[in-house]
Amino acid sequence: MFRSAEYTGTYFNTEGLPTTGLPEVVLCGRSNVGKSSFINSICNREKLAKTSSTPGKTRTINYYLIEKSFYFVDLPGFGYAKVSRSEQAKWADVIDKYFNFSKNIALSIHLIDAFVPDSNLDGDFHNFVTAKGFRDIKLLTKTDKLNQKEMSKNLKIFSENYPGYVRDESFFLYSIKNSKYQKTLVKFILNNL
Ligand SMILES: Nc1nc2c(ncn2[C@@H]2O[C@H](COP(=O)(O)OP(=O)(O)O)[C@@H](O)[C@H]2O)c(=O)[nH]1
Ligand SMILES: [Mg+2]
C-alpha cells in the first residue's frame, strides 16, 4: 500500500484544474466500477475517497497527493444509463478535456469490472486513451465476486477484447477485500511515474 495520501481538491469542470507539476496517475472507468474504493484500499484509508453504492454519483475530478510524489486523479465515471444523454456527453467532455489539459499524465489506469469484461463503453474508452498515446493499464476490479470458473471465463473474454495485455505487466487483478493484490500494483505504479 501507499503510506501517505492526502486529498487535495475537487473540480466540477475543467476550468481551474491544477497544474500539479508532479506525475498524475489517472483513474478511469464506468460509473461504480470501484475507482474510489481502489484509492481507499491501496492507501489503506477508509474514507479518503467517497464511495457510493448508487451509481452515477461522481461527477467531479478529485485529486489525491500520494507519498508527496505523485497524484491519483479520479475522473468522473462514464456510462451511467440513468442520466440523460446530454449529461453523459458532458462527462465524456470533462474526461476529454482533462486528457487534453494535463501535461503530467504518467499512466492511465482503466478499471474494468471483472464481471463485465466486454462492455462497449470500456471498448470506447480504450480506443480513446490508446489513440491519444497514453500509457494504459487495465485493472480488473471486484474479483472477489467471481468464483474460479467465472474468473477464467471472464479472463478469456478480457484477453479477446484486449489482446496484447499481459497479466501483472499491463493488466492486473484487484479486490478491496484482499490485500494480496496491492504489492505488484504499488511496485508497478512507482516504477512507471
Ligand atoms: N465486493 C467488492 N465490492 C467492491 C469492490 N470495489 C468496489 N466495490 C463496491 O462497489 C461500489 C462502487 O464503488 P465506488 O468505489 O464508489 O465506485 P466508483 O463509482 O468507480 O468510484 C461500492 O458499493 C463498493 O463498496 C471490490 O473489490 N469488491
Ligand atoms: Mg467514485
Side-chain angles (χ1 to χ4, degrees):
M1 67 172 180
F2 293 114
R3 298 192 183 278
S4 87
E6 183 191 336
Y7 161 79
T8 62
T10 294
Y11 301 83
F12 291 88
N13 54 46
T14 45
E15 271 149 53
L17 279 182
T19 302
T20 61
L22 286 174
E24 294 171 13
V25 175
V26 195
L27 301 169
C28 329
R30 288 165 64 219
S31 174
N32 218 40
V33 69
K35 292 189 304 299
S36 304
S37 304
F38 167 74
I39 294 174
N40 290 337
S41 155
I42 203 138
C43 298
N44 196 26
R45 291 267 302 274
E46 236 168 76
K47 289 180 182 152
L48 185 63
K50 279 199 194 92
T51 63
S52 168
S53 51
T54 325
K57 283 275 152 103
T58 315
R59 295 146 198 250
T60 53
I61 301 183
N62 297 293
Y63 286 69
Y64 304 88
L65 177 60
I66 309 301
E67 296 190 344
K68 303 214 186 295
S69 58
F70 73 95
Y71 281 86
F72 275 137
V73 180
D74 186 10
L75 292 184
F78 46 79
Y80 176 52
K82 282 190 185 161
V83 301
S84 69
R85 263 174 195 281
S86 62
E87 187 85 341
Q88 288 204 22
K90 204 169 96 193
W91 296 354
D93 192 44
V94 169
I95 293 169
D96 187 47
K97 283 204 175 117
Y98 166 78
F99 276 99
N100 288 330
F101 166 82
S102 177
K103 300 285 173 274
N104 291 65
I105 299 169
L107 178 69
S108 167
I109 303 184
H110 177 189
L111 288 78
I112 295 178
D113 191 324
F115 243 116
V116 194
D118 54 356
S119 153
N120 287 337
L121 291 163
D122 284 315
D124 290 348
F125 178 75
H126 171 78
N127 293 340
F128 165 82
V129 78
T130 52
K132 283 194 176 293
F134 290 110
R135 180 103 204 247
D136 160 71
I137 62 169
K138 309 298 187 201
L139 193 68
L140 290 174
T141 65
K142 310 191 187 184
T143 55
D144 57 281
K145 289 183 150 185
L146 286 77
N147 64 33
Q148 224 171 10
K149 202 175 154 203
E150 291 167 325
M151 198 62 219
S152 59
K153 179 172 161 257
N154 285 8
L155 278 174
K156 194 162 169 273
I157 298 171
F158 172 83
S159 297
E160 285 161 9
N161 278 279
Y162 302 99
Y165 280 76
V166 178
R167 178 133 168 210
D168 292 341
E169 284 179 22
S170 44
F171 88 85
F172 299 82
L173 304 188
Y174 206 79
S175 163
I176 60 169
K177 310 265 179 190
N178 193 332
S179 59
K180 76 175 179 187
Y181 297 106
Q182 293 187 8
K183 207 173 163 185
T184 325
L185 203 58
V186 166
K187 206 171 144 199
F188 179 88
I189 292 172
L190 293 176
N191 281 336
N192 285 278
L193 293 176

